Amino acid sequence: PSDAQAALKAINPYAATRNPIDVTAQAFNNLDLVRDNLDVVLRQDGLDALIAFFTVTAGSKSIAPRLSQILSPLPQQYPN
C-alpha cells in the first residue's frame, strides 16, 4: 500500500519500497532499520508471507548478535 511505502521511505530514503523491498546495505550501518522496516511491513493487512534475505554479512560476529536480538521478538509481536 502507498501509505506503507511512504513510511518505508521516511525510515530510509534510499530504500526500494515496492515488492521486493530492499533496505539496501544501509541496514548494516544501522540495524534498527531492519526492525523498523519489518515493523511497517508486518503491520499491513493481507500479508501472506515475508521472506528476509540478509546475505552472509548478517552472520558476521559484529552483526549477528544484534540482528538476532532484533528478529527474535517478531514472532510474538506478530503471531499471525
Side-chain angles (χ1 to χ4, degrees):
S2 59
D3 58 332
Q5 290 176 340
L8 293 171
K9 273 291 189 194
I11 293 167
N12 180 3
Y14 304 107
T17 60
R18 298 181 139 212
N19 191 2
I21 296 168
D22 184 354
V23 298
T24 73
Q26 189 66 25
F28 291 121
N29 294 321
N30 178 1
L31 287 173
D32 289 337
L33 287 173
V34 173
R35 180 201 58 225
D36 297 346
N37 277 270
L38 289 174
D39 187 53
V40 168
V41 172
L42 290 169
R43 283 188 277 133
Q44 302 307 304
D45 290 330
L47 184 69
D48 293 323
L50 181 128
I51 298 170
F53 179 72
F54 295 104
T55 74
V56 297
T57 307
S60 74
K61 292 179 183 179
S62 62
I63 294 176
R66 175 74 175 122
L67 187 59
S68 179
Q69 180 184 30
I70 288 169
L71 297 176
S72 293
L74 293 177
Q76 292 80 30
Q77 290 175 314
Y78 301 98
N80 295 327

